[in-house]
Amino acid sequence: MVKKKKNEEKFLSVFEQQGKKQEIPLSDGSQIRVLSFDPEEKGEEEIEILFVAGLMTIFPRWEKVLKPLAKHYKVHYLESREKYTSKLAKKASLTFARMSEDLPEAISFLALDKRPYITISSSVGATIILEALARKALSPLGSILVGPATEMPFPRFVPFLMRFLPPFVIVMLRPFIRWYFRNILVDSAAEPEQARDYVRALNEADIRKVRKCIISNFKYEGWAILPKVENRSLLIGATKDKLHKSSFTLQVAQAIPNCTFVDLGTNKAAHDLPLAEITREFIKELMAKGPKVGIDPEGLTVEDL
C-alpha cells in the first residue's frame, strides 16, 4: 500500500475520489499508481486515454481536462515513479529511459494493447512518452504532447543543490524555492493558477524521489530521438507560458515527422476545457471522422502564431 500524505483525503476533489486506484507492478520490483475513470455515457468513438503528467504535477492541475473527457471516454491517469504515490524498489532508477520503460508495462497491465487508445502527456510526462514512441515501445493511435521537455528546464544551481544538500535541508529551503517558482520560473501575474499549483506540488512532493530524478536527468538531451517518432502527434504550445515556451515547443514539433501544432496562448488554456475540446477533435481525426487537427509547423516562427 502507498503511504498517504497527512490529511490527503480532505484535499481530494469528488472527481478525484471517483477514480479507481490500482498499483501497477513493474519489472524492477517497483510499483506505480493509476487512477481510472469510467465514462458517464458512451462516446461516439470507443477509445481510451492514457494521461501522463509532468514532474511533481498534482491531479487538480489537470482535472479541468480529465473531467470532461471522462464523460465520454475511459481515462487512465498514470502517476510516474517520481510521484509520492510510487513504491520504489531498492536502488530503483529514476532516469527518463527507465521511466519510459514503465509505460509499456502499464499499457499491458491496463490491457490497452488490446484496445485503441491515445496518450496525453505534459512536460516530463511527454518526455517519457516520446522516449517510448521513439523505441516503438508504444502503439497509440496518436499522442497529444503539451510542452514536452526535451531538456531539463532548471538553472545550473539546481542540480548542485540537489546533489550536495541532504533532503532535510532541501525541505528547509522550500520557502526560497516557492519564491523562485512564483517570481522566476512562472509568470505569476499572467498565470496565477499555474504558480499556485506548482507551489502546492512542491509542498506535496516526495523530495527524495524528485531530488534523485533531477540529478539523474539534469544533462538529458532528447532532440536526437524526435525524428524517430513516427506516430501521429499533436503538440500543444502556450505563447505566454514562461516555463514551456511556444518557441521551444514549436522546434520540437518541427523535429517530429508526423506532427502538427496548436498554440493555445496560455498555460491555463492548455490545462483547461480548450485542451479537452481539441482532444475530442483529435480523436475524430484519428477515427477518420473529422479533419486534421493543427497546422503544419514546418517553416513557422512564433511570430506567425
Side-chain angles (χ1 to χ4, degrees):
M1 294 289 293
V2 174
K3 185 178 180 181
K4 292 182 180 180
K5 290 281 187 177
K6 185 178 181 182
N7 298 324
E8 175 189 358
E9 292 295 338
K10 75 176 185 179
F11 292 110
L12 302 184
S13 68
V14 173
F15 176 66
E16 187 174 354
Q17 292 181 56
Q18 291 172 348
K20 178 184 177 183
K21 299 180 179 67
Q22 298 180 87
E23 307 302 327
I24 301 176
L26 302 172
S27 57
D28 70 343
S30 299
Q31 292 181 358
I32 54 176
R33 191 175 78 169
V34 63
L35 299 179
S36 296
F37 300 86
D38 290 320
E40 297 177 10
E41 56 190 62
K42 188 175 180 180
E44 295 178 16
E45 302 82 19
E46 291 190 11
I47 192 169
E48 298 187 19
I49 298 172
L50 178 69
F51 193 99
V52 186
L55 185 72
M56 297 196 308
T57 300
I58 53 177
F59 185 90
R61 186 78 178 127
W62 288 104
E63 183 164 335
K64 292 179 181 179
V65 175
L66 299 171
K67 191 172 183 178
L69 290 176
K71 289 182 178 180
H72 306 284
Y73 312 101
K74 186 162 188 174
V75 175
H76 306 280
Y77 181 84
L78 186 69
E79 296 173 329
S80 46
R81 59 171 53 206
E82 90 289 351
K83 305 291 191 299
Y84 83 88
T85 53
S86 71
K87 184 178 180 181
L88 298 184
K90 189 176 181 180
K91 297 184 179 179
S93 171
L94 279 164
T95 64
F96 292 158
R98 172 61 240 195
M99 291 167 71
S100 74
E101 291 175 15
D102 296 344
L103 297 175
E105 297 182 40
I107 291 290
S108 178
F109 178 88
L110 296 168
L112 290 178
D113 50 347
K114 298 177 175 63
R115 297 190 290 272
Y117 72 96
I118 68 165
T119 67
I120 306 176
S121 54
S122 172
S123 191
V124 165
T127 302
I128 63 176
I129 286 284
L130 287 168
E131 283 279 342
L133 290 174
R135 298 197 322 272
K136 310 296 187 289
L138 300 182
S139 299
L141 294 181
S143 294
I144 296 177
L145 306 154
V146 183
T150 51
E151 301 170 4
M152 287 294 276
F154 294 109
R156 301 181 72 89
F157 70 82
V158 171
F160 174 83
L161 290 177
M162 294 291 180
R163 187 179 297 276
F164 296 106
L165 296 180
F168 78 90
V169 176
I170 297 174
V171 170
M172 293 173 62
L173 289 173
R174 271 179 166 161
F176 167 74
I177 300 173
R178 282 194 288 267
W179 175 88
Y180 178 80
F181 274 11
R182 290 193 185 105
N183 296 281
I184 305 297
L185 197 61
V186 175
D187 186 342
S188 295
E191 301 281 8
E193 289 187 19
Q194 183 186 20
R196 184 172 61 250
D197 287 345
Y198 278 15
V199 168
R200 177 183 163 183
L202 173 66
N203 291 340
E204 296 183 3
D206 186 320
I207 293 298
R208 291 181 183 276
K209 293 175 187 174
V210 172
R211 173 179 180 267
K212 184 174 180 179
C213 186
I214 291 175
I215 292 172
S216 299
N217 297 289
F218 184 71
K219 294 184 179 180
Y220 177 80
E221 228 286 1
W223 293 100
I225 69 168
L226 301 183
K228 300 177 184 178
V229 177
E230 299 175 353
N231 304 66
R232 173 72 176 100
S233 302
L234 176 64
L235 259 74
I236 305 298
T239 310
K240 298 178 182 179
D241 186 352
K242 288 179 67 176
L243 183 58
H244 307 102
K245 293 183 181 299
S246 279
S247 57
F248 189 86
T249 308
L250 184 56
Q251 291 176 32
V252 176
Q254 291 167 342
I256 298 175
N258 188 16
C259 185
T260 53
F261 181 81
V262 170
D263 179 60
L264 288 180
T266 66
N267 183 276
K268 184 177 186 297
H271 291 72
D272 211 322
L273 192 58
L275 180 60
E277 292 172 345
I278 285 176
T279 299
R280 296 195 69 181
E281 293 175 12
F282 187 57
I283 289 173
K284 288 181 179 179
E285 174 205 321
L286 296 172
M287 303 300 285
K289 295 181 179 180
K292 194 168 189 176
V293 179
I295 56 177
D296 185 346
E298 191 63 34
L300 279 181
T301 65
V302 174
E303 288 70 28
D304 299 321
L305 301 177

